Amino acid sequence: MCICINCRHMYMCTTYLIIKEQHLSVKQSPSYTFTPINSLIQISISKSLYYFQQEWDLVECLSFTEKPGNWLV
């Protein structure tokens, strides 16, 4: 699970933008100005009969500042 959803910096984080682009749910915004420190993205690859699927999750970030439910805003 991506820790971004409970981070105070989610709506301005450049790493979160990269993950959103991979999930094809980008709403381009000029407010992505925060560059986090030492982020670790885990990419899970699964194969079905006809295609491969990728799941991108941020699992570690030194800039993480907890704000539970931030994604609900």
Side-chain angles (χ1 to χ4, degrees):
M1 174 187 264
C2 189
I3 64 172
C4 294
I5 63 170
N6 287 321
C7 182
R8 178 175 311 279
H9 307 292
M10 180 177 87
Y11 291 111
M12 57 185 172
C13 180
T14 55
T15 301
Y16 181 66
L17 176 63
I18 291 168
I19 292 171
K20 281 178 61 174
E21 286 173 349
Q22 296 306 314
H23 288 281
L24 303 175
S25 62
V26 176
K27 294 178 182 173
Q28 199 63 297
S29 172
S31 63
Y32 290 95
T33 57
F34 179 77
T35 304
I37 300 168
N38 291 339
S39 300
L40 180 63
I41 298 174
Q42 176 179 322
I43 304 171
S44 302
I45 302 172
S46 59
K47 179 185 177 215
S48 79
L49 187 59
Y50 300 106
Y51 61 91
F52 288 94
Q53 183 176 2
Q54 297 179 8
E55 178 68 29
W56 289 49
D57 293 313
L58 184 72
V59 294
E60 189 174 319
C61 179
L62 289 182
S63 298
F64 178 79
T65 305
E66 189 170 15
K67 184 177 179 186
N70 190 39
W71 59 277
L72 294 171
V73 177

Coordinates of all heavy atoms in Angstrom, one line a residue:
M1 N 0.8 -1.2 0.0 CA 0.0 0.0 0.0 C 0.9 1.2 0.0 O 1.9 1.3 0.7 CB -0.9 0.0 1.2 CG -1.7 1.3 1.3 SD -2.6 1.5 2.8 CE -4.2 0.9 2.3
C2 N 0.5 2.2 -0.8 CA 1.2 3.5 -0.9 C 1.0 4.3 0.4 O -0.1 4.6 0.8 CB 0.7 4.2 -2.1 SG 1.7 5.6 -2.5
I3 N 2.1 4.7 1.0 CA 2.0 5.6 2.2 C 1.6 7.0 1.9 O 1.3 7.8 2.8 CB 3.3 5.5 3.0 CG1 4.5 6.1 2.3 CG2 3.6 4.1 3.5 CD1 5.7 6.3 3.1
C4 N 1.6 7.4 0.6 CA 1.3 8.8 0.2 C -0.1 9.2 0.7 O -0.2 10.4 1.0 CB 1.3 8.9 -1.3 SG 3.0 8.7 -2.0
I5 N -1.0 8.3 0.8 CA -2.4 8.8 1.1 C -2.5 9.3 2.5 O -3.5 10.1 2.8 CB -3.4 7.6 0.9 CG1 -3.1 6.5 1.8 CG2 -3.4 7.2 -0.6 CD1 -4.2 5.4 1.9
N6 N -1.6 9.0 3.4 CA -1.6 9.6 4.7 C -0.5 10.6 5.0 O -0.1 10.8 6.1 CB -1.6 8.5 5.8 CG -2.9 7.7 5.8 OD1 -4.0 8.3 5.8 ND2 -2.8 6.4 6.0
C7 N 0.0 11.2 3.9 CA 1.1 12.1 4.1 C 0.7 13.6 3.9 O -0.1 13.9 3.0 CB 2.2 11.8 3.1 SG 3.7 12.9 3.3
R8 N 1.2 14.4 4.7 CA 0.8 15.9 4.6 C 1.2 16.5 3.3 O 0.6 17.4 2.8 CB 1.5 16.6 5.8 CG 1.3 18.1 5.8 CD 1.9 18.7 7.0 NE 1.6 18.1 8.3 CZ 0.4 18.2 9.0 NH1 -0.5 19.0 8.5 NH2 0.2 17.6 10.1
H9 N 2.2 16.0 2.6 CA 2.8 16.6 1.4 C 2.2 16.0 0.1 O 2.6 16.3 -1.0 CB 4.3 16.3 1.4 CG 5.0 16.8 2.6 ND1 5.1 18.1 2.9 CD2 5.6 16.1 3.6 CE1 5.8 18.3 4.0 NE2 6.1 17.0 4.5
M10 N 1.2 15.1 0.3 CA 0.7 14.3 -0.9 C 0.3 15.2 -2.1 O 0.7 14.9 -3.2 CB -0.5 13.5 -0.5 CG -1.1 12.7 -1.6 SD -2.5 11.7 -1.0 CE -3.9 12.8 -1.2
Y11 N -0.4 16.3 -1.9 CA -0.9 17.1 -3.0 C 0.1 18.0 -3.6 O -0.3 18.7 -4.6 CB -2.2 17.9 -2.6 CG -3.3 16.9 -2.3 CD1 -3.8 16.7 -1.0 CD2 -3.9 16.2 -3.3 CE1 -4.9 15.9 -0.7 CE2 -5.0 15.4 -3.1 CZ -5.5 15.2 -1.8 OH -6.5 14.3 -1.5
M12 N 1.3 18.0 -3.1 CA 2.3 18.9 -3.8 C 3.6 18.1 -4.0 O 4.6 18.6 -4.4 CB 2.6 20.1 -2.9 CG 3.1 19.8 -1.5 SD 3.2 21.3 -0.5 CE 3.5 20.6 1.1
C13 N 3.6 16.8 -3.9 CA 4.8 15.9 -3.9 C 5.0 15.4 -5.4 O 4.1 14.8 -6.0 CB 4.6 14.7 -3.0 SG 6.0 13.6 -3.0
T14 N 6.3 15.6 -5.9 CA 6.6 15.2 -7.2 C 6.6 13.7 -7.3 O 6.3 13.1 -8.4 CB 8.0 15.8 -7.6 OG1 9.0 15.4 -6.7 CG2 7.9 17.3 -7.7
T15 N 7.0 13.0 -6.3 CA 7.0 11.5 -6.3 C 5.6 11.0 -6.4 O 5.3 10.0 -7.2 CB 7.7 10.9 -5.1 OG1 9.1 11.4 -5.1 CG2 7.8 9.4 -5.1
Y16 N 4.7 11.6 -5.7 CA 3.3 11.2 -5.8 C 2.7 11.4 -7.2 O 2.0 10.6 -7.7 CB 2.4 11.9 -4.8 CG 1.0 11.5 -4.8 CD1 0.6 10.3 -4.4 CD2 0.0 12.4 -5.2 CE1 -0.8 9.9 -4.4 CE2 -1.3 12.1 -5.2 CZ -1.7 10.8 -4.8 OH -3.0 10.5 -4.8
L17 N 3.2 12.5 -7.8 CA 2.8 12.7 -9.2 C 3.2 11.6 -10.1 O 2.5 11.1 -11.0 CB 3.3 14.1 -9.7 CG 3.0 14.4 -11.2 CD1 1.5 14.5 -11.4 CD2 3.7 15.7 -11.5
I18 N 4.5 11.1 -10.0 CA 5.0 10.0 -10.8 C 4.2 8.8 -10.6 O 3.8 8.1 -11.5 CB 6.5 9.8 -10.4 CG1 7.3 10.9 -10.9 CG2 7.0 8.5 -11.0 CD1 8.7 10.9 -10.3
I19 N 3.8 8.5 -9.3 CA 3.0 7.3 -9.1 C 1.6 7.4 -9.7 O 1.1 6.5 -10.3 CB 2.9 7.0 -7.6 CG1 4.3 6.6 -7.0 CG2 1.8 6.0 -7.2 CD1 4.4 6.6 -5.5
K20 N 1.0 8.6 -9.6 CA -0.3 8.9 -10.2 C -0.2 8.7 -11.7 O -1.2 8.1 -12.3 CB -0.8 10.3 -9.9 CG -1.4 10.4 -8.5 CD -1.8 11.8 -8.2 CE -2.9 12.3 -9.2 NZ -3.4 13.6 -8.8
E21 N 0.9 9.1 -12.3 CA 1.0 9.0 -13.8 C 1.0 7.5 -14.2 O 0.5 7.1 -15.2 CB 2.3 9.6 -14.3 CG 2.2 11.1 -14.3 CD 3.6 11.8 -14.6 OE1 4.6 11.1 -14.6 OE2 3.6 13.0 -14.8
Q22 N 1.7 6.7 -13.3 CA 1.7 5.2 -13.6 C 0.3 4.6 -13.5 O 0.0 3.6 -14.1 CB 2.7 4.5 -12.7 CG 4.1 5.0 -12.9 CD 4.6 4.9 -14.4 OE1 4.4 3.9 -15.0 NE2 5.2 5.9 -14.9
H23 N -0.5 5.1 -12.6 CA -1.9 4.6 -12.4 C -2.8 5.3 -13.4 O -4.0 5.0 -13.4 CB -2.3 4.9 -11.0 CG -1.7 4.0 -10.0 ND1 -2.0 2.7 -9.8 CD2 -0.7 4.2 -9.1 CE1 -1.3 2.1 -8.9 NE2 -0.4 3.1 -8.5
L24 N -2.3 6.1 -14.3 CA -3.1 6.8 -15.3 C -4.3 7.6 -14.7 O -5.3 7.7 -15.3 CB -3.7 5.8 -16.3 CG -2.6 4.9 -17.0 CD1 -3.3 3.9 -17.9 CD2 -1.6 5.8 -17.8
S25 N -4.0 8.2 -13.6 CA -5.1 9.1 -13.0 C -4.5 10.5 -12.7 O -4.8 11.0 -11.7 CB -5.5 8.4 -11.7 OG -4.4 8.3 -10.8
V26 N -3.9 11.0 -13.7 CA -3.2 12.3 -13.5 C -4.2 13.5 -13.8 O -4.8 13.5 -14.9 CB -2.0 12.4 -14.4 CG1 -1.4 13.8 -14.3 CG2 -1.0 11.4 -14.0
K27 N -4.3 14.4 -12.9 CA -4.9 15.7 -13.2 C -3.8 16.7 -13.0 O -3.5 17.0 -11.9 CB -6.1 15.9 -12.2 CG -7.2 14.9 -12.4 CD -8.3 15.2 -11.4 CE -9.4 14.1 -11.5 NZ -10.4 14.2 -10.5
Q28 N -3.2 17.1 -14.1 CA -2.0 17.9 -14.1 C -2.3 19.2 -13.3 O -3.3 19.9 -13.4 CB -1.6 18.3 -15.5 CG -0.2 18.8 -15.6 CD 0.8 17.7 -15.2 OE1 0.9 17.3 -14.0 NE2 1.7 17.3 -16.1
S29 N -1.4 19.5 -12.4 CA -1.5 20.7 -11.5 C -0.1 21.3 -11.3 O 0.8 20.6 -11.1 CB -2.1 20.3 -10.2 OG -2.1 21.3 -9.3
P30 N 0.0 22.6 -11.3 CA 1.2 23.3 -11.1 C 1.7 23.2 -9.7 O 2.8 23.7 -9.4 CB 1.0 24.7 -11.6 CG -0.5 24.9 -11.4 CD -1.1 23.5 -11.6
S31 N 0.9 22.7 -8.8 CA 1.2 22.7 -7.4 C 2.2 21.6 -6.9 O 2.5 21.5 -5.8 CB -0.1 22.6 -6.6 OG -0.7 21.4 -6.8
Y32 N 2.6 20.7 -7.8 CA 3.6 19.7 -7.5 C 5.0 20.3 -7.4 O 5.7 20.3 -8.4 CB 3.5 18.5 -8.4 CG 2.3 17.7 -8.3 CD1 1.2 18.0 -9.2 CD2 2.1 16.7 -7.4 CE1 0.0 17.3 -9.1 CE2 0.9 16.0 -7.3 CZ -0.1 16.3 -8.1 OH -1.3 15.6 -8.0
T33 N 5.3 20.8 -6.2 CA 6.6 21.5 -6.1 C 7.5 20.9 -5.0 O 8.6 21.3 -4.8 CB 6.4 23.0 -5.7 OG1 5.6 23.1 -4.5 CG2 5.6 23.7 -6.9
F34 N 7.0 19.9 -4.2 CA 7.7 19.4 -3.1 C 8.5 18.1 -3.6 O 7.9 17.2 -4.2 CB 6.8 19.0 -2.0 CG 7.4 18.4 -0.8 CD1 8.1 19.1 0.1 CD2 7.4 17.0 -0.6 CE1 8.8 18.6 1.2 CE2 8.0 16.4 0.4 CZ 8.7 17.2 1.3
T35 N 9.8 18.1 -3.4 CA 10.6 17.0 -3.8 C 11.1 16.3 -2.5 O 11.8 16.8 -1.7 CB 11.9 17.4 -4.6 OG1 11.4 18.1 -5.7 CG2 12.7 16.2 -5.0
P36 N 10.6 15.0 -2.3 CA 10.9 14.3 -1.0 C 12.3 13.8 -1.0 O 12.9 13.7 -2.0 CB 9.9 13.2 -1.0 CG 9.5 13.0 -2.4 CD 9.6 14.3 -3.1
I37 N 12.7 13.4 0.2 CA 14.1 12.9 0.4 C 14.0 11.4 0.6 O 13.2 10.9 1.3 CB 14.7 13.5 1.7 CG1 14.8 15.1 1.5 CG2 16.1 12.9 2.0 CD1 15.1 15.8 2.8
N38 N 14.9 10.7 -0.1 CA 15.1 9.2 0.0 C 13.8 8.5 -0.1 O 13.4 7.8 0.9 CB 15.8 8.9 1.3 CG 17.3 9.3 1.2 OD1 17.8 9.5 0.1 ND2 17.9 9.5 2.4
S39 N 13.1 8.6 -1.2 CA 11.9 7.8 -1.4 C 12.2 6.5 -2.0 O 13.1 6.3 -2.8 CB 11.0 8.6 -2.4 OG 10.7 9.8 -1.9
L40 N 11.4 5.5 -1.6 CA 11.6 4.1 -2.1 C 10.2 3.7 -2.7 O 9.2 3.6 -2.0 CB 12.0 3.2 -1.0 CG 12.2 1.7 -1.4 CD1 13.3 1.6 -2.4 CD2 12.5 0.9 -0.1
I41 N 10.2 3.4 -4.0 CA 9.0 3.0 -4.7 C 9.1 1.5 -5.0 O 10.1 1.0 -5.5 CB 8.8 3.8 -6.0 CG1 8.6 5.2 -5.8 CG2 7.6 3.2 -6.8 CD1 8.5 6.1 -7.0
Q42 N 8.1 0.8 -4.6 CA 8.1 -0.7 -4.9 C 7.1 -0.9 -6.1 O 6.0 -0.4 -6.1 CB 7.5 -1.4 -3.7 CG 7.3 -2.9 -3.9 CD 6.8 -3.6 -2.6 OE1 7.1 -3.2 -1.5 NE2 5.9 -4.5 -2.8
I43 N 7.6 -1.6 -7.1 CA 6.8 -1.9 -8.2 C 6.6 -3.4 -8.3 O 7.5 -4.2 -8.4 CB 7.6 -1.5 -9.5 CG1 7.9 0.0 -9.5 CG2 6.7 -1.8 -10.8 CD1 8.8 0.5 -10.6
S44 N 5.3 -3.7 -8.2 CA 4.9 -5.1 -8.2 C 4.4 -5.4 -9.6 O 3.6 -4.7 -10.2 CB 3.8 -5.4 -7.2 OG 4.2 -5.1 -5.9
I45 N 4.8 -6.5 -10.2 CA 4.4 -6.9 -11.5 C 3.7 -8.3 -11.4 O 4.2 -9.2 -10.8 CB 5.7 -7.0 -12.4 CG1 6.4 -5.7 -12.5 CG2 5.2 -7.5 -13.8 CD1 7.7 -5.7 -13.2
S46 N 2.5 -8.3 -12.0 CA 1.8 -9.6 -12.0 C 1.4 -9.9 -13.5 O 1.3 -9.0 -14.3 CB 0.5 -9.5 -11.2 OG -0.3 -8.4 -11.6
K47 N 1.3 -11.1 -13.8 CA 1.0 -11.6 -15.1 C -0.3 -12.3 -15.1 O -0.6 -13.2 -14.3 CB 2.1 -12.5 -15.6 CG 1.9 -13.0 -17.0 CD 3.0 -13.9 -17.4 CE 2.7 -14.5 -18.8 NZ 3.1 -15.8 -18.9
S48 N -1.2 -11.9 -16.1 CA -2.4 -12.7 -16.3 C -2.2 -13.5 -17.6 O -1.1 -13.4 -18.2 CB -3.6 -11.8 -16.4 OG -3.7 -11.2 -17.6
L49 N -3.2 -14.1 -18.1 CA -3.0 -14.9 -19.3 C -2.6 -14.0 -20.5 O -1.8 -14.4 -21.3 CB -4.4 -15.6 -19.6 CG -4.4 -16.6 -20.8 CD1 -3.4 -17.7 -20.5 CD2 -5.8 -17.1 -20.9
Y50 N -3.1 -12.8 -20.6 CA -2.9 -12.0 -21.8 C -2.1 -10.7 -21.6 O -1.7 -10.1 -22.6 CB -4.2 -11.5 -22.4 CG -5.1 -12.7 -22.8 CD1 -6.2 -13.1 -22.0 CD2 -4.8 -13.5 -23.9 CE1 -7.0 -14.2 -22.4 CE2 -5.5 -14.6 -24.3 CZ -6.6 -14.9 -23.5 OH -7.3 -16.0 -23.9
Y51 N -1.8 -10.3 -20.4 CA -1.1 -9.0 -20.2 C -0.3 -9.0 -18.8 O -0.6 -9.8 -18.0 CB -2.0 -7.8 -20.3 CG -3.1 -7.8 -19.3 CD1 -2.9 -7.2 -18.0 CD2 -4.3 -8.5 -19.5 CE1 -3.9 -7.2 -17.1 CE2 -5.3 -8.5 -18.5 CZ -5.1 -7.8 -17.3 OH -6.1 -7.8 -16.4
F52 N 0.6 -8.1 -18.7 CA 1.3 -7.8 -17.4 C 0.6 -6.6 -16.8 O 0.2 -5.6 -17.5 CB 2.7 -7.5 -17.7 CG 3.5 -8.7 -18.1 CD1 3.8 -9.0 -19.4 CD2 4.1 -9.5 -17.1 CE1 4.5 -10.1 -19.8 CE2 4.8 -10.6 -17.4 CZ 5.0 -10.9 -18.8
Q53 N 0.6 -6.5 -15.5 CA 0.1 -5.4 -14.8 C 1.1 -4.9 -13.7 O 1.8 -5.7 -13.1 CB -1.2 -5.8 -14.0 CG -1.9 -4.7 -13.3 CD -3.2 -5.1 -12.7 OE1 -3.6 -6.3 -12.8 NE2 -3.9 -4.2 -12.1
Q54 N 1.3 -3.6 -13.6 CA 2.2 -3.0 -12.7 C 1.4 -2.3 -11.6 O 0.4 -1.6 -11.9 CB 3.1 -2.0 -13.3 CG 4.0 -2.5 -14.4 CD 4.8 -1.4 -15.0 OE1 4.8 -0.3 -14.5 NE2 5.5 -1.7 -16.1
E55 N 1.9 -2.4 -10.4 CA 1.3 -1.6 -9.2 C 2.5 -0.9 -8.6 O 3.4 -1.5 -8.1 CB 0.7 -2.6 -8.2 CG 0.1 -1.9 -7.0 CD -1.1 -1.1 -7.3 OE1 -1.8 -1.4 -8.3 OE2 -1.3 -0.1 -6.6
W56 N 2.4 0.4 -8.6 CA 3.5 1.3 -8.0 C 3.0 1.7 -6.6 O 1.9 2.3 -6.5 CB 3.7 2.5 -8.9 CG 4.4 2.2 -10.2 CD1 4.1 1.2 -11.1 CD2 5.5 2.9 -10.7 NE1 4.9 1.3 -12.1 CE2 5.8 2.3 -11.9 CE3 6.3 3.9 -10.2 CZ2 6.9 2.7 -12.7 CZ3 7.3 4.4 -11.0 CH2 7.6 3.7 -12.2
D57 N 3.9 1.6 -5.6 CA 3.6 2.0 -4.3 C 4.8 2.6 -3.6 O 5.9 2.1 -3.7 CB 3.1 0.8 -3.4 CG 1.8 0.2 -3.8 OD1 0.9 1.0 -4.0 OD2 1.7 -1.0 -3.9
L58 N 4.6 3.8 -3.0 CA 5.7 4.4 -2.2 C 5.7 3.7 -0.8 O 4.7 3.7 -0.1 CB 5.5 5.9 -2.1 CG 6.6 6.6 -1.3 CD1 7.8 6.7 -2.3 CD2 6.2 8.0 -0.9
V59 N 6.8 3.0 -0.5 CA 6.8 2.3 0.7 C 7.7 2.9 1.8 O 7.6 2.5 3.0 CB 7.3 0.8 0.5 CG1 6.2 0.1 -0.3 CG2 8.6 0.7 -0.2
E60 N 8.6 3.8 1.4 CA 9.5 4.5 2.4 C 9.8 5.9 1.9 O 10.1 6.1 0.7 CB 10.7 3.7 2.5 CG 11.6 4.1 3.7 CD 12.8 3.2 3.9 OE1 12.6 2.0 3.8 OE2 13.9 3.7 4.1
C61 N 9.8 6.8 2.8 CA 10.1 8.2 2.4 C 10.5 9.0 3.7 O 9.8 9.0 4.6 CB 8.9 8.9 1.8 SG 9.2 10.6 1.3
L62 N 11.7 9.6 3.6 CA 12.2 10.3 4.8 C 11.4 11.6 5.0 O 11.4 12.2 6.1 CB 13.7 10.6 4.7 CG 14.6 9.4 4.9 CD1 16.0 9.8 4.9 CD2 14.3 8.7 6.2
S63 N 10.7 12.1 4.0 CA 9.9 13.3 4.1 C 8.5 13.1 4.6 O 7.7 14.0 4.7 CB 9.9 14.0 2.8 OG 11.2 14.4 2.4
F64 N 8.1 11.8 4.8 CA 6.8 11.5 5.2 C 6.4 12.2 6.5 O 7.1 12.1 7.5 CB 6.6 9.9 5.4 CG 5.3 9.5 5.8 CD1 4.2 9.4 4.9 CD2 5.1 9.2 7.1 CE1 3.0 9.0 5.4 CE2 3.8 8.8 7.6 CZ 2.8 8.7 6.7
T65 N 5.3 12.9 6.5 CA 4.8 13.5 7.7 C 3.3 13.1 7.8 O 2.5 13.4 6.9 CB 4.9 15.1 7.6 OG1 6.2 15.4 7.3 CG2 4.4 15.7 8.8
E66 N 3.0 12.3 8.8 CA 1.7 11.7 8.9 C 0.6 12.7 9.1 O 0.7 13.6 9.9 CB 1.7 10.7 10.0 CG 0.4 9.9 10.0 CD 0.5 8.7 11.0 OE1 1.3 8.7 11.9 OE2 -0.4 7.8 10.9
K67 N -0.4 12.5 8.3 CA -1.7 13.3 8.4 C -2.8 12.3 8.0 O -3.2 12.3 6.8 CB -1.7 14.5 7.5 CG -2.9 15.4 7.6 CD -2.8 16.6 6.8 CE -4.1 17.4 6.9 NZ -4.1 18.6 6.0
P68 N -3.2 11.5 8.9 CA -4.2 10.4 8.6 C -5.5 11.0 7.9 O -6.0 12.0 8.3 CB -4.6 9.8 9.9 CG -3.4 10.1 10.8 CD -2.9 11.4 10.3
G69 N -5.9 10.3 6.8 CA -7.1 10.7 6.1 C -6.9 11.9 5.2 O -7.9 12.5 4.7
N70 N -5.7 12.3 4.9 CA -5.4 13.4 4.0 C -6.0 13.3 2.6 O -6.5 14.2 2.0 CB -3.9 13.7 3.9 CG -3.5 15.0 3.2 OD1 -4.2 16.0 3.4 ND2 -2.5 14.9 2.4
W71 N -6.1 12.0 2.2 CA -6.7 11.7 0.9 C -8.2 11.9 0.8 O -8.8 12.0 -0.3 CB -6.3 10.3 0.4 CG -6.9 9.3 1.4 CD1 -6.3 8.9 2.6 CD2 -8.1 8.6 1.3 NE1 -7.1 7.9 3.2 CE2 -8.2 7.7 2.4 CE3 -9.1 8.5 0.3 CZ2 -9.2 6.9 2.6 CZ3 -10.1 7.7 0.5 CH2 -10.2 6.8 1.7
L72 N -8.8 12.1 2.0 CA -10.3 12.3 2.0 C -10.7 13.7 1.7 O -11.8 14.0 1.4 CB -10.8 12.0 3.4 CG -10.7 10.5 3.8 CD1 -11.1 10.3 5.2 CD2 -11.6 9.6 2.9
V73 N -9.7 14.6 1.7 CA -10.0 16.1 1.5 C -10.4 16.3 0.1 O -9.9 15.8 -0.9 CB -8.8 16.9 1.9 CG1 -9.0 18.4 1.6 CG2 -8.4 16.7 3.3

